[in-house]
Amino acid sequence: MEPLLKVDDLRTQFHTDAGLVNVVDGVSLELKKGEILGVVGESGCGKSVTSLSVMQLLPKDISKVASGSITLEGQDILAMSPSRLRKMRGNQISMIFQEPMTSLNPVFKIGDQIMEAIRFHMKISKKEAKVYAIEMLKKVGISRPESVVDEYPHQLSGGMRQRVMIAIAMACEPKILIADEPTTALDVTIQAQILNLMRQLQQEKGTSIMLITHDLGIVAQMCDRVVVMYAGQVVEETDVKSLFKNPKHPYTKGLLASLPQLSGNQNKLKSIPGQVPALDEMPTGCRFAPRCEFRMDECDTSKPNLLNVAENHTCRCYLYQKEEIPS
Amino acid sequence: MSTLLKVNNLIKHFPVTKGFFQKQVGAVKSVDGISFEIEEGETLGIVGESGCGKSTTGRALLRILEPTEGEVLFDGVDIAKLPKKELRAFRTNMQMIFQDPYASLNPRWTVQQVLEEPLITHGNLTKTEVKQRVTELMELVGLSPQQASRYPHEFSGGQRQRIGIARALALNPKFIVCDEPVSALDVSIQAQVLNLMKDLQQKFSLTYLFISHDLSVVKFISDRVGVMYLGKLVELSPTKSIFAEPLHPYTKALMSAVPIPDPEIKREQIVLSGDVPSALHPPAGCAFHTRCPVAMDICKTLVPKWSEVSGGRKVACHLYEQNHTKEEQGSCH
Ligand SMILES: Nc1ncnc2c1ncn2[C@@H]1O[C@H](COP(=O)(O)OP(=O)(O)OP(=O)(O)O)[C@@H](O)[C@H]1O
Ligand SMILES: Nc1ncnc2c1ncn2[C@@H]1O[C@H](COP(=O)(O)OP(=O)(O)OP(=O)(O)O)[C@@H](O)[C@H]1O
Ligand SMILES: [Mg+2]
Ligand SMILES: [Mg+2]
């Protein structure tokens, strides 16, 4: 089946203190209809920049997509006009941003902000939009929606603001929802409400969701497939069960082993030594090599490609060169 | 084991004032009467949702915030009533590690200066001894002493947290309040820091109050766990028993809401409705009754007692008070 969204060999550059760097360096991924795709990886590995590239919301002047392609239902997003992009955002793809505080406008009432989003994409009257806005707030678990529509962002808690953002993102029933750490700032009990809501959206409306998170618990409970990123690249991709049962990349293995468990007893956690390389100090070979317990000579000198290591399972690591299966 | 810290009915209210004359119109009941003990060498974990009073508790214990009421007995001395001058000397016993290692380090100081500062202010060491101690501290937390002349921004998040830990250890404290020390770190780095904290605890028989909203982290590091809701402790139990069989309905909900990193495990979740009420107007009776799936009439009016249920397990919930009285009655006959 043709994927809804296809990112192919994406390179996104930023002007930084260290000069022009590829913060996303050859990322490819696909989002199929109705699936929840998880994107995980260490802070700074390029998850948000990948999604901002898709939305064409990269900070101008300091960043750009340097090469690669992004297609939405076969249409080239990189070639879309500004007005076509505005239509796309909200109607076809909605995004929930990592920082809810900065993405609501402080001077407008909550209700007006939801209604604006609704009326931009749907042909309904102001009155109908308000009723719909209240209904959306109720859906995201806000307890007194009739009064919240007339309040300003600063009057709401962080959790409520994030739910308002989700209400706005879901209002127009987009085909794709990109959720960038949608619950990181929230408490677990509120997080559970939001995740249920997203799952409901996927099940009832067939929405495809790209869920960016660093929480492997959320990945396990929510996602169908997972992309693991490290230092601007995809290092592993597979279905969620295989990832947790049979992780291939040493980084994925290390990550899973570092998790404190809720069941059983652990005296010591396994950890990955060292830290993520700085953008301007990327190793010439495999980017994970300096921290890798399985490092071989070739890992330091040449760059590994993404290999097919099993059916629907890819991994960027020399360990699997011999086992590669033809795709 | 002996008790290092005994907290009796600790209260911290923040007054809310209005108008030109700053008339007090109310109070944020951030910490509203909590009591617990910490044994020497143990880690007491504190969990609970944002705003429930975890940080305020930690700060009031160290008197970074002045408690409104209550006793904090440290080795038998009531810190809450200690005169300022004596408190200063006493403080070397108690330190704090913060969530955001970046914000808690002076950006214009080198690591050397950061670590020297407490040694110079509180100790009476010679210059060479200070230098030696800084080297020792850096090695202790796994940093290279060659990096002592660098500034905080030249370090990664995990390394900065190590600097924060080294600073807390400088004066050989007995007790450290750790306020979300690994929350800002990536999982792979978080594991490094947690292991380090556990090692150091054993090496120096440290006692920790470990604040976190991450239950699996708390489970890993703690001997006992206290659960807070709206300024009150609702449950406090040994780690093993609280995770095996949570008692308070809030603890149950909290635990069931944690996503398990295993796609094969699908758990029944207790999804709580609504938000945490404001600490300015906490509900009457049991503060949790507005969200409690098993609330009874009595919960709306009567504050449940903080009492021991069984083997070192304390809980504040009417469900258990009833059982308790029934049992007591039973044993009378
Ligand atoms: N506005 C910016 N200016 C300069 N560099 C940036 C900017 N935004 C992102 N970067 C750099 O791009 C890289 C990727 O950042 P990105 O925000 O995509 O990371 P992330 O994977 O989303 O991390 P996190 O988990 O912390 O959100 C980082 O090294 C970051 O420093
Ligand atoms: N200086 C202050 N003045 C007024 N209210 C305060 C002050 N400090 C904290 N509070 C309030 O006290 C309550 C408890 O805050 P506290 O920071 O202890 O919560 P917490 O459990 O540490 O939350 P988090 O998990 O978000 O860190 C909150 O309602 C907070 O708004
Ligand atoms: Mg991000
Ligand atoms: Mg806090």
Side-chain angles (χ1 to χ4, degrees):
Chain A
M1 198 171 58
E2 175 71 6
L4 211 51
L5 178 72
K6 191 169 166 157
V7 175
D8 193 31
D9 203 21
L10 176 72
R11 264 182 195 80
T12 303
Q13 296 181 327
F14 269 81
H15 284 284
T16 68
D17 298 343
L20 193 64
V21 282
N22 290 331
V23 304
V24 168
D25 201 8
V27 164
S28 301
L29 53 85
E30 291 181 356
L31 185 62
K32 300 191 184 77
K33 183 158 175 21
E35 82 170 342
I36 303 186
L37 174 73
V39 180
V40 295
E42 214 100 346
S43 179
C45 71
K47 304 182 293 292
S48 296
V49 169
T50 301
S51 54
L52 291 174
S53 304
V54 170
M55 295 298 284
Q56 287 291 290
L57 288 173
L58 289 166
K60 289 199 188 74
D61 310 332
I62 59 162
S63 61
K64 65 163 194 288
V65 171
S67 65
S69 72
I70 306 172
T71 48
L72 175 67
E73 299 185 290
Q75 284 188 299
D76 184 0
I77 289 185
L78 299 177
M80 282 181 190
S81 68
S83 68
R84 175 72 187 83
L85 279 171
R86 264 199 305 277
K87 269 254 138 65
M88 175 196 84
R89 294 184 208 118
N91 253 351
Q92 286 167 288
I93 311 185
S94 274
M95 180 155 173
I96 302 168
F97 294 90
Q98 197 164 354
E99 284 111 24
M101 318 306 166
T102 52
S103 31
L104 281 172
N105 192 331
V107 300
F108 292 112
K109 288 180 184 166
I110 297 296
D112 292 340
Q113 300 196 43
I114 304 178
M115 280 152 60
E116 190 198 279
I118 297 171
R119 294 196 63 210
F120 184 79
H121 296 286
M122 294 197 223
K123 301 268 163 293
I124 54 177
S125 73
K126 233 179 156 168
K127 222 168 149 190
E128 286 169 313
K130 184 159 185 180
V131 173
Y132 188 54
I134 291 172
E135 192 186 316
M136 287 308 297
L137 287 175
K138 215 182 268 165
K139 273 206 179 132
V140 293
I142 285 183
S143 43
R144 29 178 200 91
E146 294 84 0
S147 44
V148 167
V149 283
D150 291 321
E151 287 173 11
Y152 292 91
H154 75 265
Q155 291 172 277
L156 308 183
S157 72
M160 287 169 80
R161 274 191 288 241
Q162 186 63 313
R163 278 179 281 169
V164 169
M165 285 309 301
I166 293 169
I168 292 175
M170 301 195 319
C172 305
E173 302 186 352
K175 290 183 179 155
I176 297 174
L177 179 67
I178 299 181
D180 190 357
E181 306 270 5
T183 57
T184 304
L186 305 181
D187 289 311
V188 282
T189 59
I190 307 291
Q191 168 174 292
Q193 294 175 14
I194 302 287
L195 294 179
N196 278 342
L197 202 72
M198 287 176 39
R199 202 180 285 113
Q200 208 179 327
L201 190 74
Q202 177 242 355
Q203 280 165 359
E204 288 171 12
K205 313 272 180 199
T207 311
S208 308
I209 301 177
M210 182 165 140
L211 179 56
I212 299 173
T213 176
H214 64 272
D215 187 330
L216 289 159
I218 295 182
V219 171
Q221 298 302 317
M222 293 287 293
C223 299
D224 302 306
R225 261 180 338 116
V226 189
V227 165
V228 182
M229 288 182 67
Y230 188 81
Q233 299 182 321
V234 173
V235 295
E236 183 160 4
E237 193 221 303
T238 187
D239 64 280
V240 71
K241 283 200 173 133
S242 306
L243 189 90
F244 282 85
K245 235 191 178 147
N246 195 9
K248 296 282 187 187
H249 198 280
Y251 171 65
T252 317
K253 287 184 180 176
L255 200 60
L256 289 170
S258 319
L259 287 178
Q261 302 290 336
L262 262 189
S263 55
N265 265 327
Q266 291 162 295
N267 250 328
K268 214 173 171 81
L269 294 171
K270 232 185 139 230
S271 64
I272 306 176
Q275 69 213 46
V276 182
L279 283 174
D280 54 331
E281 292 170 4
M282 281 301 164
T284 25
C286 168
R287 295 183 168 180
F288 186 62
R291 303 177 73 188
C292 183
E293 57 177 314
F294 306 103
R295 197 182 90 221
M296 303 172 291
D297 286 344
E298 59 193 315
C299 306
D300 287 332
T301 49
S302 55
K303 296 179 178 25
N305 291 322
L306 263 184
L307 306 171
N308 282 307
V309 291
E311 205 179 326
N312 297 319
H313 196 157
T314 58
C315 174
R316 189 185 295 278
C317 177
Y318 282 124
L319 285 175
Y320 302 98
Q321 215 158 20
K322 294 203 186 68
E323 319 175 8
E324 191 186 10
I325 57 163
S327 55
Chain B
M1 261 203 288
S2 60
T3 303
L4 180 69
L5 200 77
K6 190 164 166 33
V7 178
N8 287 326
N9 194 31
L10 182 69
I11 294 177
K12 177 66 194 177
H13 289 181
F14 293 100
V16 178
T17 56
K18 211 176 177 176
F20 183 73
F21 295 105
Q22 297 288 297
K23 192 166 155 273
Q24 183 171 345
V25 292
V28 181
K29 298 178 175 129
S30 302
V31 176
D32 204 18
I34 62 176
S35 304
F36 59 91
E37 293 172 11
I38 309 183
E39 302 293 316
E40 212 169 317
E42 86 162 336
T43 300
L44 176 66
I46 298 285
V47 298
E49 288 172 284
S50 184
C52 70
K54 304 182 294 295
S55 299
T56 307
T57 302
R59 282 168 196 207
L61 288 187
L62 302 190
R63 258 181 82 180
I64 296 170
L65 285 172
E66 287 297 326
T68 308
E69 231 176 83
E71 276 182 341
V72 180
L73 300 170
F74 188 98
D75 261 346
V77 180
D78 188 356
I79 322 174
K81 301 200 177 58
L82 216 56
K84 277 261 152 73
K85 222 170 127 200
E86 287 170 52
L87 181 68
R88 222 179 80 85
F90 208 84
R91 277 240 170 92
T92 59
N93 286 316
M94 315 177 293
Q95 291 295 323
M96 185 141 181
I97 301 171
F98 299 90
Q99 166 171 2
D100 185 348
Y102 201 58
S104 65
L105 297 171
N106 185 332
R108 279 185 289 275
W109 283 7
T110 62
V111 178
Q112 175 82 27
Q113 288 169 307
V114 167
L115 297 180
E116 267 176 6
E117 194 264 349
L119 296 170
I120 295 171
T121 337
H122 286 281
N124 35 16
L125 303 177
T126 65
K127 258 197 169 143
T128 3
E129 284 169 329
V130 167
K131 256 217 147 101
Q132 243 167 20
R133 180 72 179 143
V134 169
T135 304
E136 201 176 286
L137 286 167
M138 288 191 73
E139 281 170 351
L140 210 52
V141 297
L143 293 172
S144 149
Q146 269 105 48
Q147 300 173 320
S149 56
R150 295 207 196 163
Y151 292 89
H153 74 262
E154 298 176 71
F155 291 89
S156 69
Q159 288 175 323
R160 284 197 286 257
Q161 198 52 289
R162 287 170 193 266
I163 300 170
I165 294 171
R167 180 179 57 183
L169 290 175
L171 298 167
N172 291 315
K174 288 187 186 166
F175 175 58
I176 304 181
V177 172
C178 317
D179 192 356
E180 308 263 9
V182 295
S183 306
L185 306 177
D186 278 314
V187 178
S188 73
I189 307 295
Q190 168 181 303
Q192 294 174 7
V193 174
L194 286 173
N195 283 336
L196 173 69
M197 292 186 66
K198 233 180 179 175
D199 287 346
L200 293 170
Q201 174 167 47
Q202 279 195 335
K203 214 178 229 161
F204 302 111
S205 337
L206 296 169
T207 306
Y208 290 148
L209 181 81
F210 192 100
I211 298 169
S212 177
H213 62 273
D214 185 331
L215 286 168
S216 40
V217 165
V218 162
K219 168 152 198 273
F220 171 73
I221 197 110
S222 310
D223 300 295
R224 290 187 302 142
V225 177
V227 182
M228 285 184 76
Y229 188 81
L230 267 184
K232 290 201 158 73
L233 274 170
V234 297
E235 177 163 4
L236 196 157
S237 296
T239 305
K240 246 197 189 137
S241 33
I242 201 168
F243 280 91
E245 189 208 355
L247 296 177
H248 197 283
Y250 178 62
T251 317
K252 287 183 185 169
L254 205 57
M255 290 196 174
S256 82
V258 180
I260 304 278
D262 182 346
E264 314 270 339
I265 298 178
K266 295 271 178 264
R267 287 190 308 173
E268 262 313 297
Q269 263 186 11
I270 306 167
V271 177
L272 294 177
S273 55
D275 283 307
V276 183
S278 140
L280 192 56
H281 306 286
C286 171
F288 184 58
H289 86 255
T290 53
R291 299 172 80 201
C292 182
V294 291
M296 304 171 291
D297 276 342
I298 184 175
C299 308
K300 293 177 192 155
T301 50
L302 198 66
V303 179
K305 279 201 211 77
W306 179 234
S307 51
E308 183 150 343
V309 175
S310 66
R313 306 197 62 173
K314 284 194 167 174
V315 64
C317 176
H318 288 300
L319 284 176
Y320 298 93
E321 270 181 38
Q322 279 182 337
N323 288 347
H324 211 55
T325 39
K326 261 184 220 152
E327 270 167 32
E328 272 168 9
Q329 282 162 356
S331 63
C332 285
H333 296 293

